[in-house]
Amino acid sequence: TIDPEKTFFIEELESGKDYEVIISNLTGLYRYRFGDVIRCVGYHHKAPIVEVAYRKGQFLNASGERTSEESFYKALSNTVINDWNVILVDYTTVEYFLEGNRKPRYVVFVELTDGANGSKQVERLITKKEKMKLDKALERENQTYKVLRDIGRLQPIEVIALKRGTFEKVRQKMISYGVGATQIKQPRVTRDEELIKILEEGRIS
């Protein structure tokens, strides 16, 4: 969790903790908040290794439930570690609406590695029991999500495991849009049909 009362220099980050990025520079920015939340995942010598976890102020909203990226990330990361016993490498979530007779639901595309050493790709389908663990975690994070699940307006979350390299294909597609390679952030929520197609094609079957 983020403590809003404390600020840290980059060399003071602790592994496994989340931090909101605040920038001050000589060109006029003073304590500028980008909205990015990063997680320190380790150190290389004295330099912290960080990854973008989510953006503050953005929401999933398939049926009026407004699940924040922060709440979704917390539910997913805790479930992956504590219930699935694997490591979350990357993820993107899609809101699916009214496919045929199906009601809205979240679909999260994940790349996972083995919890033993983090080097082996998880190449299996996510079980129904594992999916329900995540669904219950989302209910705990967002009471409105729980209400909509209870009354049947939202279907249970779908989890799709991806082949290694799928998110790199997403990245290359974003570069083809004209986004600079150094500016690309993996979208935690996407409604881009081309990116969704890449994700669908990368599923482990």
Side-chain angles (χ1 to χ4, degrees):
T1 58
I2 298 171
D3 184 345
E5 302 301 319
K6 293 184 179 180
T7 56
F8 301 87
F9 292 111
I10 190 73
E11 67 272 13
E12 297 177 319
L13 305 189
E14 295 181 37
S15 294
K17 291 191 175 181
D18 296 347
Y19 302 88
E20 183 181 358
V21 178
I22 299 175
I23 298 291
S24 298
N25 64 18
L26 296 176
T27 61
L29 293 180
Y30 177 70
R31 295 183 66 82
Y32 182 80
R33 302 172 76 163
F34 279 84
D36 289 336
V37 174
I38 60 172
R39 168 165 288 193
C40 179
V41 296
Y43 270 79
H44 178 69
H45 301 303
K46 294 184 178 181
I49 303 169
V50 301
E51 61 184 23
V52 177
Y54 58 87
R55 283 188 61 80
K56 293 180 72 68
Q58 295 194 4
F59 297 87
L60 286 158
N61 195 29
S63 189
E65 73 289 350
R66 288 179 61 81
T67 302
S68 70
E69 280 195 29
E70 180 177 3
S71 295
F72 187 89
Y73 176 76
K74 183 178 178 182
L76 177 62
S77 59
N78 287 340
T79 301
V80 167
I81 293 171
N82 298 323
D83 297 308
W84 300 356
N85 297 314
V86 292
I87 295 172
L88 179 66
V89 177
D90 223 333
Y91 76 95
T92 291
T93 311
V94 177
E95 304 148 320
Y96 278 78
F97 303 94
L98 304 177
E99 294 180 315
N101 293 323
R102 298 192 69 175
K103 295 177 182 177
R105 73 195 192 284
Y106 300 161
V107 178
V108 58
F109 297 87
V110 297
E111 187 175 326
L112 306 169
T113 55
D114 184 80
N117 54 30
S119 62
K120 184 180 179 182
Q121 181 83 9
V122 174
E123 296 184 350
R124 64 170 177 81
L125 300 178
I126 306 301
T127 67
K128 182 177 181 180
K129 182 178 179 180
E130 289 172 328
K131 295 174 186 178
M132 290 309 299
K133 288 281 189 181
L134 177 55
D135 202 63
K136 292 300 181 184
L138 283 169
E139 289 183 356
R140 291 191 295 271
E141 288 296 323
N142 183 353
Q143 185 62 32
T144 306
Y145 181 89
K146 182 180 188 307
V147 170
L148 294 178
R149 285 282 296 109
D150 288 344
I151 65 176
R153 278 182 53 185
L154 279 174
Q155 286 197 323
I157 190 169
E158 178 65 36
V159 184
I160 297 175
L162 297 177
K163 301 172 186 174
R164 186 189 297 272
T166 300
F167 282 111
E168 177 58 26
K169 292 179 180 178
V170 170
R171 181 176 179 274
Q172 292 302 319
K173 187 64 175 180
M174 294 173 68
I175 291 174
S176 76
Y177 290 164
V179 181
T182 59
Q183 298 177 313
I184 288 178
K185 300 167 188 172
Q186 183 64 44
R188 297 310 180 198
V189 180
T190 186
R191 300 172 181 89
D192 184 304
E193 292 185 2
E194 290 297 318
L195 300 186
I196 293 172
K197 181 180 178 182
I198 293 171
L199 294 168
E200 290 278 9
E201 291 174 348
R203 68 167 63 206
I204 293 171
S205 57

